[in-house]
Amino acid sequence: MKKQIISLGALLFAVAVNAQMNFEQISDTLRVQQIEDINMHKTGNPNTARPISSKSNLSIMENPQPISIVTHEIIEQQQAKQLSDVLQNVNGLYITSSRGNSQDTFGGRGFILGNDNIFKNGTRVNSGVFPEVSGLERVEVLKGANAMLYGNTAAGGIVNMITKKPRFNFGGSIGLNGGSWNSYKPTVDFYGPLSDKIAFRLNGAYEYADSFRDVVTSSKYYFNPSFLVNLGEKSQLIVEADYLKNDFTPDFGLGSITNKDLSYSLNDSVGRNVFFGTDWQYQNVQQASTNITFNHQFNTNWTFNAVASYQNYTKDYFSAEKIQWEFATPTETRLSWKRPFNKTYNEQNFGSGQININGEINTGKINHKLLFGTDADYNQADAYAYTLGATNNVLYLDDPSTWEDIAMPTSTLSSKNRINTRRIGVFAQDYISITKQFKVIAGLRWSYIENMATINTAFETGAKKLLDNSATSDQAFSPKAGLVYMPNDNLSVFATYTNSFSANTGQDVSGNSLKPSLIDQFEVGMKHNFWNNAVALNLSVYQIENRNFYQTAEFKADGTPNVDSNIKDFAGKMRSQGVELDITGNPYPNLSIIAGASYNHSVYLDTPEDFGYVENQRLVRTPATTANASVFYTFNNYVKGLKLGASVYFVGDRIAGWNDTKATNQTRNGITRMFDVDDYVTAAVSLGYEFKKFSVMGKVGNLFDTVNYNVHENYSVNPITPRNYYVTVTYKL
């Protein structure tokens, strides 16, 4: 009841503020960095936008790189509930795992997108949360390698979530979403002027939901105030803060089966609702952040942008872990699972700063669009470990009476590992218009990353020490070069080369720090606007090669078997090849479309003969194909205000588990460590109606009740969401 009262209070507060706001609409006095790209929202064509994520003043048409933008209109039309729902609109991105159904990990072009690839308002954020999407203005995705701009990132791409910004005209909305599994979510969003130079915005949301999975529940609180201050005609300050609290039940799903021949298979013998955890397990996450952005326009050609941010992240976790059904002995006839438990506490404090300077000059008849930048960050990560009391807990798959709850084990704080990381980078880029049609882009970045020695604290003895060989440091130059041919404003053909690096943790068998992985990317593509510039058709073909790949060593230096995942050895190369096609826009004023398709083939190459990965075997958790299509239509005649929508999402077949090594092929007598997961299609339909300031939108997700699974790398298996129903009622202030 307390939660409902808080939610209702927030809504009433929004209404009260609306009643008191009497400021006249005031235009923004500064256009250093457009809060919204008006053309994009009018036409739906993203090629006309200048994405913040590119850090430059280049439009998507000028930029020799695939860039996708998902606007808040699309997010609202699809009634997206998670970031994964939003990214379904970006072809080539996919979920690689959903650990405990409590943290989505995304992939692109064969690479996993971790903490270094997820950004909010241009600064890195911890990816161990489910971001609140109701406060997003848009999501920008820069596909492929982005080391020149962002330093140490995986080559699959970066995801940048842009939050809604203050405005000098009053407006906003209050809404309520509800639906399947006792889900309800009130939201508030209102903005307006506080004076002729100061504007504000406030976003807030509360969400509670049960699940189609027994026992599983979640609750989320989100609060996002922001202020915009025009410091004069040429300077602007934006101050943002947000707080997210998310409590939910970790859920490792149905689990997989280790067969008697040591092969693996899905556990599809029980219903999608069956929960094998405990009633008490939990994961409580809190994340607070603040961003300060300063924009200054020196003149019509030169602008200055500076961003400073601070984030605090905590995760309190106590749960049963991955579910792996197996036969206890070769003669056993019943599949069993010894339910393991794990308790951890993690805290991360992260500070960063960046400066970007954009300018334009001419040398004779040649035009230069210049970008200079520098960035630095410091991260302090604390990981607490606990010693748990013994449990006697064995579940049998064929005996539901053994699935019952068990008392929470005792826990004692045992140790803490603190890892301090710092990074710094400096970069420059020049976009050269040799002629009106031919352009050249060239950029170079120097990056330095240092993981300081891990500080281990043993609480039982009070001893504190530095872990041996835990300190690493790497530096690298990351170049970027490309050609762009633009015969007219509606056609762009490009070719690029980028080189990036990815730091490797651990050490080799001799105790030496590992060299960073060097990654080369070659890409060609085309961007075309048609239908009176209302629709964008973009095509790209790429090859990415990791020339310095490491994997866990099979043997130590003395020849004994190695069980330490931090001891690694050179493992050869990894190559990713693919093609991506997308189409976005408004071919007619009331019709919007967003669609795409991708193909990727990622394999290991030139691996060591004794222990390397099996060559030309497709990487696990990487679908060969993905596709998406969404169509929305709004009636202006007949039933004015009526909205219809439909979406389709396809994920190709995947390989779950672990890629085979040449050594495991021998030790397992050719039995693979992998198993197949079928492709699947989900569809959604929506129906809405707008009347004056009110709107009602209904949605049916997974229309045909498709059954499929997300499989984590450790064989945890989580069913995708069954058919679901949601309704959103919104009042525009």
Side-chain angles (χ1 to χ4, degrees):
M1 180 60 72
K2 183 179 179 181
K3 297 175 181 178
Q4 289 88 331
I5 293 174
I6 294 173
S7 303
L8 180 61
L11 293 175
L12 293 174
F13 177 70
V15 174
V17 171
N18 178 36
Q20 297 298 318
M21 296 294 292
N22 294 312
F23 289 103
E24 297 180 358
Q25 293 188 3
I26 302 173
S27 301
D28 297 349
T29 62
L30 185 71
R31 298 182 179 182
V32 173
Q33 186 178 30
Q34 289 185 328
I35 295 172
E36 292 184 81
D37 192 303
I38 303 301
N39 290 327
M40 182 180 66
H41 288 287
K42 282 184 177 180
T43 67
N45 183 351
N47 288 348
T48 62
R50 288 176 168 79
I52 293 174
S53 306
S54 68
K55 299 186 179 182
S56 69
N57 57 4
L58 302 178
S59 70
I60 290 181
M61 210 63 183
E62 296 173 304
N63 209 314
Q65 177 181 12
I67 302 174
S68 295
I69 298 178
V70 185
T71 65
H72 71 87
E73 291 96 341
I74 296 171
I75 296 173
E76 292 166 2
Q77 287 171 340
Q78 296 181 344
Q79 299 184 70
K81 303 190 74 70
Q82 305 285 5
L83 182 60
S84 57
D85 300 330
V86 179
L87 295 181
Q88 286 183 352
N89 297 289
V90 181
N91 73 82
L93 292 193
Y94 44 85
I95 292 179
T96 59
S97 69
S98 184
R99 188 184 189 278
N101 211 32
S102 63
Q103 175 186 346
D104 287 340
T105 302
F106 302 100
R109 299 187 171 185
F111 295 84
I112 295 175
L113 311 184
N115 277 342
D116 291 332
N117 294 72
I118 308 298
F119 293 75
K120 183 168 63 180
N121 296 318
T123 60
R124 286 183 173 88
V125 295
N126 193 297
S127 61
V129 301
F130 286 126
E132 175 53 42
V133 300
S134 65
L136 297 180
E137 178 63 36
R138 64 186 179 273
V139 175
E140 300 177 352
V141 179
L142 275 61
K143 297 183 180 181
N146 290 276
M148 205 284 295
L149 292 175
Y150 291 94
N152 181 39
T153 61
I158 68 108
V159 177
N160 190 16
M161 300 174 287
I162 312 297
T163 56
K164 295 177 179 178
K165 299 296 189 288
R167 298 181 182 179
F168 279 93
N169 61 294
F170 177 73
S173 64
I174 57 175
L176 179 64
N177 172 275
S180 296
W181 307 295
N182 194 33
S183 168
Y184 61 93
K185 180 180 182 178
T187 60
V188 297
D189 175 22
F190 52 96
Y191 50 84
L194 296 175
S195 70
D196 60 346
K197 294 184 178 180
I198 303 174
F200 81 98
R201 190 160 194 160
L202 178 63
N203 284 288
Y206 169 75
E207 182 176 12
Y208 175 86
D210 295 328
S211 171
F212 71 96
R213 302 274 298 143
D214 297 340
V215 181
V216 176
T217 65
S218 67
S219 63
K220 179 189 292 186
Y221 300 85
Y222 179 72
F223 181 64
N224 172 214
S226 58
F227 299 89
L228 183 153
V229 183
N230 285 332
L231 302 174
E233 294 184 356
K234 295 184 176 182
S235 299
Q236 181 185 73
L237 189 70
I238 302 174
V239 181
E240 303 172 82
D242 66 4
Y243 172 76
L244 175 67
K245 178 177 172 55
N246 193 188
D247 301 334
F248 49 85
T249 307
D251 176 18
F252 288 86
L254 304 178
S256 57
I257 294 172
T258 303
N259 301 304
K260 286 192 174 183
D261 64 355
L262 299 183
S263 63
Y264 300 98
S265 57
L266 286 167
N267 175 25
D268 54 6
S269 61
V270 298
R272 286 176 287 178
N273 64 299
V274 176
F275 179 74
F276 293 110
T278 68
D279 292 344
W280 50 262
Q281 60 193 55
Y282 64 85
Q283 177 168 312
N284 300 330
V285 174
Q286 296 188 74
Q287 185 178 65
S289 66
T290 182
N291 274 47
I292 300 176
T293 303
F294 176 73
N295 297 314
H296 180 73
Q297 186 170 337
F298 296 105
N299 50 49
T300 55
N301 292 331
W302 288 88
T303 61
F304 175 91
N305 165 259
V307 182
S309 72
Y310 169 77
Q311 302 165 38
N312 175 265
Y313 164 87
T314 62
K315 181 181 77 172
D316 186 8
Y317 171 91
F318 198 172
S319 174
E321 289 284 283
K322 69 163 185 171
I323 303 172
Q324 187 65 55
W325 301 99
E326 58 188 355
F327 296 93
T329 67
T331 59
E332 181 65 62
T333 59
R334 306 175 74 192
L335 287 162
S336 62
W337 172 50
K338 296 180 180 178
R339 186 160 47 186
F341 295 99
N342 185 30
K343 178 177 174 64
T344 61
Y345 184 85
N346 296 85
E347 182 172 8
Q348 181 185 74
N349 288 281
F350 182 80
S352 68
Q354 59 179 286
I355 293 174
N356 304 297
I357 299 174
N358 278 277
E360 189 170 347
I361 62 173
N362 293 312
T363 56
K365 295 182 179 181
I366 298 178
N367 178 261
H368 302 260
K369 292 182 179 180
L370 301 169
L371 168 64
F372 304 97
T374 183
D375 48 53
D377 59 58
Y378 184 86
N379 182 36
Q380 178 179 283
D382 292 328
Y384 294 82
Y386 294 80
T387 300
L388 303 183
T391 60
N392 183 15
N393 186 217
V394 179
L395 282 65
Y396 291 94
L397 186 56
D398 62 353
D399 186 0
S401 67
T402 64
W403 306 350
E404 298 177 353
D405 199 13
I406 187 175
M408 179 184 291
T410 59
S411 61
T412 304
L413 183 61
S414 60
S415 65
K416 179 183 74 173
N417 281 342
R418 168 169 289 182
I419 302 175
N420 296 315
T421 304
R422 57 187 177 189
R423 287 180 279 209
I424 188 170
V426 181
F427 61 91
Q429 177 181 281
D430 189 3
Y431 184 82
I432 308 168
S433 298
I434 299 177
T435 67
K436 185 178 180 181
Q437 294 80 25
F438 287 97
K439 325 283 184 180
V440 175
I441 191 170
L444 183 66
R445 177 189 181 95
W446 173 80
S447 298
Y448 174 81
I449 178 171
E450 179 183 12
N451 290 307
M452 287 166 268
T454 300
I455 305 171
N456 175 265
T457 303
F459 292 107
E460 295 178 357
T461 63
K464 184 179 291 187
K465 64 178 182 179
L466 301 178
L467 298 185
D468 295 338
N469 302 310
S470 60
T472 63
S473 63
D474 294 299
Q475 58 180 318
F477 287 96
S478 302
K480 176 180 181 180
L483 299 172
V484 181
Y485 174 62
M486 298 180 65
N488 53 62
D489 292 338
N490 292 320
L491 178 62
S492 173
V493 181
F494 67 88
T496 58
Y497 163 76
T498 59
N499 176 270
S500 59
F501 84 105
S502 178
N504 288 300
T505 59
Q507 56 188 296
D508 64 18
V509 294
S510 300
N512 301 314
S513 299
L514 304 180
K515 297 179 179 179
S517 294
L518 301 178
I519 302 167
D520 293 314
Q521 174 179 290
F522 299 89
E523 187 160 7
V524 296
M526 177 270 294
K527 302 175 183 180
H528 179 47
N529 301 326
F530 63 100
W531 213 295
N532 293 323
N533 200 35
V535 179
L537 176 69
N538 299 338
L539 173 69
S540 63
V541 181
Y542 62 85
Q543 175 174 295
I544 309 172
E545 188 171 278
N546 184 340
R547 297 186 277 112
N548 200 21
F549 185 79
Y550 289 89
Q551 70 181 64
T552 302
E554 184 180 10
F555 298 101
K556 297 180 180 179
D558 60 5
T560 59
N562 173 51
V563 295
D564 187 350
S565 60
N566 287 316
I567 300 177
K568 301 177 182 180
D569 217 337
F570 176 75
K573 301 177 181 178
M574 192 278 277
R575 187 184 67 198
S576 170
Q577 297 173 319
V579 59
E580 296 167 345
L581 173 70
D582 61 78
I583 181 169
T584 308
N586 296 114
Y588 297 100
N590 301 326
L591 177 67
S592 66
I593 59 174
I594 180 168
S598 72
Y599 171 79
N600 175 268
H601 185 62
S602 298
V603 296
Y604 295 109
L605 299 172
D606 301 332
T607 64
E609 287 300 322
D610 53 350
F611 74 97
Y613 283 115
V614 174
E615 296 169 1
N616 295 310
Q617 191 179 78
R618 181 152 61 94
L619 268 63
V620 295
R621 301 179 302 283
T622 301
T625 53
T626 65
N628 64 280
S630 294
V631 179
F632 291 92
Y633 185 79
T634 301
F635 290 84
N636 276 345
N637 300 316
Y638 306 109
V639 188
K640 187 177 181 179
L642 181 66
K643 295 183 176 183
L644 299 176
S647 300
V648 178
Y649 181 55
F650 169 79
V651 178
D653 63 273
R654 293 140 289 152
I655 303 172
W658 296 95
N659 280 102
D660 297 314
T661 68
K662 297 172 182 178
T664 58
N665 267 357
Q666 296 292 325
T667 59
R668 294 173 58 88
N669 297 317
I671 301 297
T672 181
R673 302 192 300 176
M674 309 182 302
F675 63 92
D676 295 329
V677 182
D678 293 335
D679 57 28
Y680 70 92
V681 177
T682 59
V685 294
S686 62
L687 174 67
Y689 182 70
E690 288 188 356
F691 177 74
K692 295 183 178 180
K693 292 187 175 184
F694 288 93
S695 71
V696 180
M697 179 72 73
K699 172 187 175 181
V700 183
N702 196 356
L703 178 65
F704 303 108
D705 200 23
T706 298
V707 179
N708 210 274
Y709 306 89
N710 291 317
V711 183
H712 189 58
E713 70 269 11
N714 59 9
Y715 304 104
S716 300
V717 178
N718 288 94
I720 65 172
T721 305
R723 183 185 296 114
N724 53 88
Y725 308 87
Y726 292 98
V727 175
T728 301
V729 180
T730 305
Y731 175 76
K732 296 182 179 180
L733 304 176

